């Protein structure tokens, strides 16, 4: 035996033995049937090692949908079953996705099924479609039938007229096959955005489809929610803050946009616009809407939403250097660089908030849906959070009279 042995093959064999083999759709359906899966938890336990990428029989896909319908549970279970029943009506149209001809119908049906059962899987992927992603997550969570009707009409006809939505995405959108975004999410999110910006081979995907406060307010009004309240205060950040002494620039820092649909709720009548425009007042109101079980969208820094853990990332990194007796100026430069790296210096990302943590120690954390999942951000000082927070939009499914009656400060 030679003194040297290439162990790479052994490592691969051992890894293959540890990892369960990938299953095809027929095997998945069999696993969902014997033993019979009846909950969404059991459903996703079977799917955990199944990266479906197309290619199965109609019989297997119908069996998969039947299993998903059987596993609908939790809130809105009846609506989920109705939504998946609607979806099962298009499985026989394989290869006839007239609305989006480059998308695979089976792949889209599979991905939409997962999103009905678990809406947090909605993922903008490589494109700047955070606003539509947050809205689609809300629709899938609260009105799965509307979400699926929207998707099915877009897929089969290239347009949709569901409730207040009238969507006719351009041909560049419909004839694009995304590589960095799930097909079902491109179908819905790009159509919701329906950007006038041309989608070409030269388009920077991460920058394509940015969503303004006014875009979000318009979509939420069209979506038919009973009450919509928005307060947006784009305070200066980064380089613009250095120019704040200029009159035309300082005016931006004091600019505020509030919008109420169908009208301003009576419990907000005594609150001044100045209170809305101040970051602490604005964040306080966002927290109160969440505590009253409204659905709340926050405009924050994209980089910050990707932090996690229980420790302030800036303070923990900086502490490694504070015992080295470095000059204060150098430490401040390092802190600035760390903020840029981990927190960012711009408000450019919409998230659907699950909870806000505003503890007495002066830090802020968000539990949010974004990037195809739910997670809680790292705690950062509230003063630092204010630099990457521009406001909120809150919606209620109740009629305005009922929302007012249910409100508790």
């Amino acid at each position: 035996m030679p003194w040297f042995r290439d162990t790479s093959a052994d490592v691969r064999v051992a890894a293959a033995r540890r990892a369960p083999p990938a299953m095809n759709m027929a095997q998945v359906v069999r696993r969902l049937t014997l033993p019979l899966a009846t909950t969404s938890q059991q459903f996703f336990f079977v799917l955990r090692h199944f990266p479906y990428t197309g290619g199965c029989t109609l019989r297997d896909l119908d069996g998969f949908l039947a299993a998903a319908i059987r596993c609908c549970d939790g809130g809105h279970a009846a609506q989920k079953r109705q939504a998946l029943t609607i979806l099962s009506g298009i499985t026989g149209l394989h290869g006839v996705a007239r609305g989006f001809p480059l998308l695979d119908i089976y792949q889209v049906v599979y991905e939409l099924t997962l999103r009905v059962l678990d809406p947090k899987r909605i993922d903008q992927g490589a494109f700047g479609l955070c606003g539509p992603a947050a809205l689609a997550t809300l629709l899938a969570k609260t009105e799965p039938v509307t979400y699926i009707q929207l998707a099915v009409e877009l897929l089969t006809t290239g347009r949709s007229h569901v409730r207040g939505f009238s969507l006719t995405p351009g041909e560049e959108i419909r004839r694009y096959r995304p590589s960095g975004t799930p097909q079902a999410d491109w179908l819905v999110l790009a159509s919701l955005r329906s950007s006038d910006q041309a989608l070409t081979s030269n388009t920077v995907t991460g920058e394509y489809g940015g969503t303004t406060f006014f875009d979000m307010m318009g979509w939420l009004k069209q979506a038919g929610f009973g009450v919509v309240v928005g307060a947006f205060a784009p305070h200066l950040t980064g380089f613009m803050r250095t120019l704040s002494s200029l009159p035309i620039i300082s005016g931006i820092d004091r600019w505020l946009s509030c919008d109420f649909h169908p009208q301003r709720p009576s419990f907000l009548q005594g609150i001044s616009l100045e209170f809305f425009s101040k970051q602490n007042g604005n964040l306080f109101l966002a927290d109160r809407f969440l505590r009253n079980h409204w659905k709340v969208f926050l405009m924050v820094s994209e980089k910050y939403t990707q932090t996690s853990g229980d420790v302030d990332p800036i303070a923990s990194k900086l502490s490694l250097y504070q015992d080295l007796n470095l000059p204060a100026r150098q430490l401040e430069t390092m802190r600035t660089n760390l903020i840029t790296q981990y927190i960012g210096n711009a408000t450019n990302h919409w998230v659907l908030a699950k909870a806000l943590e505003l503890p007495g120690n002066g830090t802020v954390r968000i539990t949010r849906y974004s990037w195809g999942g739910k997670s809680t951000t790292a705690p950062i000082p509230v003063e630092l959070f204010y630099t990457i927070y521009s406001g909120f939009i809150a919606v209620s499914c109740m009629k305005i009279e009922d929302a007012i009656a249910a409100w508790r400060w």
Side-chain angles (χ1 to χ4, degrees):
M1 177 181 290
W3 65 273
F4 172 80
R5 180 182 178 186
D6 182 1
T7 61
S8 58
D10 299 331
V11 171
R12 288 195 297 270
V13 170
R17 286 174 178 169
R18 287 194 301 270
M23 296 184 290
N24 59 35
M25 183 67 85
Q27 292 170 318
V28 167
V29 173
R30 194 175 305 119
R31 286 283 303 275
L32 288 169
T33 307
L34 298 171
L36 193 67
T38 57
T39 69
S40 58
Q41 183 178 6
Q42 294 168 350
F43 182 88
F44 284 111
F45 182 80
V46 171
L47 262 65
R48 70 195 188 284
H49 298 300
F50 179 55
Y52 177 72
T53 56
C56 71
T57 67
L58 175 59
R59 178 180 177 181
D60 289 338
L61 186 62
D62 286 340
F64 175 77
L65 274 165
I69 292 171
R70 186 175 61 246
C71 291
C72 290
D73 55 12
H76 307 287
Q79 293 184 41
K80 292 176 184 177
R81 285 191 287 271
Q82 183 182 350
L84 293 179
T85 300
I86 293 171
L87 191 58
S88 66
I90 67 167
T91 57
L93 301 177
H94 186 53
V96 198
R98 293 188 177 89
F100 283 70
L102 298 186
L103 300 188
D104 184 295
I105 285 186
Y106 282 17
Q107 182 73 35
V108 172
V109 166
Y110 172 79
E111 292 172 353
L112 287 173
T113 301
L114 302 192
R115 282 145 181 77
V116 168
L117 290 175
D118 186 14
K120 68 176 180 287
R121 291 172 180 262
I122 293 172
D123 187 1
Q124 71 190 72
F127 287 86
L129 297 167
C130 57
L135 173 57
T137 301
L138 176 59
L139 283 176
K141 282 176 65 66
T142 60
E143 300 185 54
V145 174
T146 300
Y147 169 70
I148 289 299
Q149 285 176 335
L150 194 73
V152 167
E153 289 188 3
L154 287 167
L155 185 64
T156 56
T157 69
R159 63 185 63 190
S160 177
H161 297 277
V162 175
R163 214 161 59 189
F165 285 115
S166 179
L167 304 178
T168 308
E171 186 152 340
E172 290 173 332
I173 298 292
R174 294 189 298 103
R175 293 188 173 275
Y176 183 81
R177 186 176 183 128
S179 58
T181 298
Q183 292 189 32
D185 294 332
W186 176 257
L187 169 73
V188 176
L189 307 188
S191 297
L192 279 170
R193 183 63 190 91
S194 194
S195 175
D196 292 332
Q197 175 188 352
L199 178 64
T200 68
S201 59
N202 297 323
T203 297
V204 180
T205 57
E207 297 176 1
Y208 179 79
T211 307
T212 69
F213 170 77
F214 304 102
D215 292 327
M216 285 292 287
M217 284 296 301
W219 296 337
L220 290 165
K221 291 176 183 178
Q222 291 179 56
F225 290 99
V227 197
V228 185
V229 174
F232 186 65
H235 293 268
L236 296 177
T237 58
F239 174 70
M240 292 297 288
R241 184 173 290 280
T242 65
L243 304 177
S244 59
S245 60
L246 300 176
I248 191 172
I249 301 298
S250 62
I252 297 174
D253 204 32
R254 294 191 299 269
W255 182 76
L256 168 72
S257 180
C258 285
D259 199 355
F260 309 100
H261 173 79
Q263 64 195 50
R264 183 169 178 159
S266 59
F267 56 78
L268 296 177
Q269 292 297 347
I271 297 177
S272 67
L273 292 181
E274 183 182 6
F275 187 83
F276 275 103
S277 69
K278 290 181 178 178
Q279 299 293 68
N280 58 346
N282 195 294
L283 189 62
F284 169 81
L285 290 173
D287 179 59
R288 283 299 174 269
F289 278 109
L290 277 169
R291 290 174 184 269
N292 278 273
H293 307 294
W294 289 46
K295 306 301 181 184
V296 177
F297 302 90
L298 303 175
M299 171 61 93
V300 292
S301 162
E302 175 186 325
K303 285 189 176 180
Y304 175 59
T305 64
Q306 298 179 27
T307 65
S308 60
D310 298 319
V311 179
D312 178 351
I314 308 303
S316 63
K317 297 291 183 183
L318 203 59
S319 66
L320 301 175
Y321 304 97
Q322 287 176 331
D323 295 334
L324 301 179
N325 296 320
L326 298 175
R329 187 180 216 177
Q330 186 175 351
L331 284 173
E332 184 57 30
T333 299
M334 294 175 68
R335 181 175 184 273
T336 300
N337 292 337
L338 287 169
I339 289 173
T340 301
Q341 180 181 354
Y342 289 98
I343 306 300
N345 54 16
T347 54
N348 56 359
H349 189 61
W350 287 103
V351 298
L352 177 61
K354 173 69 174 176
L356 268 173
E357 294 181 33
L358 305 174
N361 62 359
T363 61
V364 176
R365 303 185 76 183
I366 307 171
T367 301
R368 87 296 179 274
Y369 298 99
S370 181
W371 302 110
K374 182 184 80 171
S375 66
T376 302
T377 56
I380 61 173
V382 66
E383 294 79 11
L384 182 56
F385 182 80
Y386 289 157
T387 67
I388 50 94
Y389 169 71
S390 284
F392 70 89
I393 300 176
V395 301
S396 173
C397 297
M398 294 186 285
K399 294 180 180 179
I400 188 166
E401 298 83 5
D402 297 331
I404 292 171
W407 183 267
R408 298 291 182 270
W409 280 109

